[in-house]
């Protein structure tokens, strides 16, 4: 990585800076499987799995994830049901966050330290409305010049990932163009957003989606940990 070639760095949150993706995965699984157990209408009612998370939910705005999963199973649900299921999942996530807190990945902190030393503007672009609370719990909120959460996206009318709108907005807020900004994402939808926005570099972080899938989605390079992006002589 030659970081001097870029003007801003945009991070996804869950699974990139913090391991909260695992909390999201558990919350989604509990919510969807409880729904499927009680649901008796048409469609595929086999249990929800992690494969469903990566294929239909990961990185997307909450209600979009609900809709896309239900559609994948042939389940038709009114909008009020979609909202109810999404809110149920969010409540479960918030309970775990309040109880257990969150610690950022050590490799992510190492990269944040390195980029701060270079003076590069940093932003977070997350589909989660809880992004500021998670960053504060992790002790890294002050590292970022802008945080474009799901709540901000809704307020501004920005389309969520895989559309590039939220990333483009964050880059502009930091005084950069998409072509001069780096996107770091672990979700296929987020990688697709970075590619659709024609960002200068799209880095896939493989926390379970798979290097091949991230590359196919549009990642220029795939790493397993953000520490891999810190020059050895700076680590």
């Amino acid at each position: 990585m030659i970081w001097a070639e870029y003007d801003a760095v945009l991070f996804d949150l869950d699974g990139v800076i913090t391991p909260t993706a695992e909390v999201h995965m558990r919350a989604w699984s509990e919510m969807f499987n409880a729904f499927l157990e009680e649901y008796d209408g048409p469609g595929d009612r086999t249990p929800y799995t992690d494969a469903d998370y990566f294929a239909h939910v990961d990185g997307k705005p909450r209600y979009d994830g609900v809709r896309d999963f239900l559609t994948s199973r042939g389940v038709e649900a009114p909008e009020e049901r979609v909202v109810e299921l999404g809110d149920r999942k969010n409540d479960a996530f918030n309970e775990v966050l309040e109880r257990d807190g969150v610690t950022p990945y050590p490799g992510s902190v190492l990269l944040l330290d390195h980029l701060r030393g270079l003076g590069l503007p940093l932003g977070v672009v997350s589909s989660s409305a809880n992004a500021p609370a998670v960053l504060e719990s992790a002790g890294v909120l002050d590292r970022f010049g802008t945080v474009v959460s799901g709540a901000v996206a809704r307020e501004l009318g920005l389309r969520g990932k895989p559309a590039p709108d939220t990333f483009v907005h964050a880059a502009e807020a930091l005084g950069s163009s998409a072509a001069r900004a780096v996107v770091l994402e672990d979700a296929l939808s987020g990688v697709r957003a970075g590619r659709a926005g024609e960002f200068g570099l799209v880095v896939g972080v493989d926390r379970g989606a798979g290097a091949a899938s991230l590359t196919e989605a549009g990642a220029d390079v795939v790493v397993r940990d953000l520490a891999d992006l810190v020059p050895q002589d700076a680590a």
Side-chain angles (χ1 to χ4, degrees):
M1 285 292 302
I2 304 176
W3 290 106
E5 294 180 353
Y6 304 99
D7 295 334
V9 184
L10 307 176
F11 294 76
D12 179 42
L13 175 58
D14 302 314
V16 174
I17 298 173
T18 60
T20 37
E22 299 167 11
V23 181
H24 282 291
M25 289 178 73
R26 289 197 299 272
W28 280 114
S29 179
E30 291 174 9
M31 182 278 289
F32 274 133
N33 281 319
F35 165 75
L36 291 169
E37 287 178 6
E38 65 190 30
Y39 177 72
D40 60 0
D44 180 0
R45 290 177 285 169
T46 56
Y48 169 95
T49 68
D50 287 351
D52 290 309
Y53 174 81
F54 290 117
H56 307 298
V57 175
D58 189 20
K60 298 178 182 178
R62 190 189 324 141
Y63 301 137
D64 289 352
V66 174
R67 292 188 198 95
D68 289 352
F69 171 72
L70 295 180
T71 298
S72 77
R73 295 301 187 89
V75 175
E76 294 185 4
E79 185 63 15
E80 55 266 30
R81 185 62 160 161
V82 169
V83 171
E84 175 195 343
L85 293 174
D87 290 349
R88 190 189 303 178
K89 177 266 170 185
N90 194 54
D91 290 342
F93 174 84
N94 283 329
E95 288 174 7
V96 175
L97 180 64
E98 183 176 352
R99 183 187 68 229
D100 299 337
V102 63
T103 301
Y105 291 108
S108 301
V109 174
L110 188 66
L111 179 59
L112 289 174
D113 289 344
H114 178 64
L115 296 177
R116 180 166 60 182
L118 297 176
L120 276 171
L122 309 180
V124 166
V125 179
S126 172
S127 297
S128 173
N130 305 308
V134 172
L135 290 166
E136 185 173 10
S137 179
V140 293
L141 180 59
D142 63 343
R143 304 291 193 103
F144 301 99
T146 189
V147 177
V148 182
S149 67
V152 171
R154 286 194 296 275
E155 180 182 341
L156 298 178
L158 301 174
R159 294 177 299 166
K161 306 168 189 178
D165 304 32
T166 49
F167 278 119
V168 171
H169 177 78
E172 292 174 348
L174 295 174
S176 176
S177 64
R180 294 281 300 175
V182 179
V183 166
L184 297 104
E185 263 283 359
D186 71 315
L188 300 179
S189 60
V191 169
R192 292 186 181 111
R195 180 52 52 226
E198 299 182 348
F199 279 79
L201 186 71
V202 180
V203 179
V205 185
D206 185 11
R207 306 287 194 191
S213 296
L214 290 165
T215 300
E216 184 179 354
D220 297 301
V221 61
V222 176
V223 298
R224 296 188 63 86
D225 191 274
L226 296 194
D228 297 338
L229 300 174
V230 179
Q232 289 189 350
D233 58 359

